Amino acid sequence: MITPKIIHPVKVLLYKRLDTGIDDELGPTGFIEWSEPCAIYGQVKWDKFESLAPVPEGSDPVNTGHVVFYLTDWQRAGGSVADELELEDSSRLIVTEVRPMAHYQGKSFHVHVYFSRKRSR
């Protein structure tokens, strides 16, 4: 059986969101615990890179795109929305959406993991 392939895969580190600190009296503290990184290989596609979005504080660069992973690799790693990805160039990305793709004979072989760049502020 012919299966769709990923072209030019690169190493991507997946940091799974484990827990958000919640104080009994104050509620969420903003502290987030992350898992140890898990390496998966995927094809990165930048949709918008360094395009400017005007905001009251000034121009804020917008960086969005998606990574194509094999569905089995993504499921094995246990990734989901709100997890973080790190590319080889140390870009830290937040997963915003996950969509199954590359359907063939009623089965999905790839998953598109959409991301936005993590803001430093």
Side-chain angles (χ1 to χ4, degrees):
M1 177 166 101
I2 298 173
T3 59
K5 301 289 183 197
I6 292 178
I7 303 169
H8 307 297
V10 296
K11 183 178 175 181
V12 179
L13 297 177
L14 170 67
Y15 293 86
K16 292 174 22 178
R17 186 181 199 136
L18 297 177
D19 191 19
T20 303
I22 298 179
D23 187 90
D24 292 336
E25 295 176 11
L26 302 174
T29 60
F31 178 75
I32 300 171
E33 292 181 38
W34 299 97
S35 69
E36 289 296 316
C38 172
I40 359 179
Y41 287 84
Q43 180 179 331
V44 180
K45 165 77 167 71
W46 289 94
D47 298 327
K48 290 183 181 177
F49 186 76
E50 298 292 333
S51 62
L52 296 178
V55 293
E57 299 85 25
S59 296
D60 192 15
V62 175
N63 299 289
T64 60
H66 66 273
V67 183
V68 180
F69 293 113
Y70 288 111
L71 180 63
T72 53
D73 292 347
W74 181 253
Q75 289 173 335
R76 192 175 308 121
S80 64
V81 173
D83 289 344
E84 290 189 2
L85 304 173
E86 185 175 339
L87 301 179
E88 291 176 331
D89 66 355
S90 299
S91 296
R92 203 63 188 248
L93 312 166
I94 300 171
V95 176
T96 57
E97 185 179 354
V98 178
R99 292 186 198 165
M101 294 290 188
H103 295 86
Y104 183 70
Q105 293 185 346
K107 183 179 176 187
S108 174
F109 286 89
H110 294 166
V111 63
H112 284 198
V113 177
Y114 291 86
F115 62 78
S116 63
R117 185 178 291 239
K118 185 174 183 177
R119 303 283 188 252
S120 58
R121 340 179 198 151

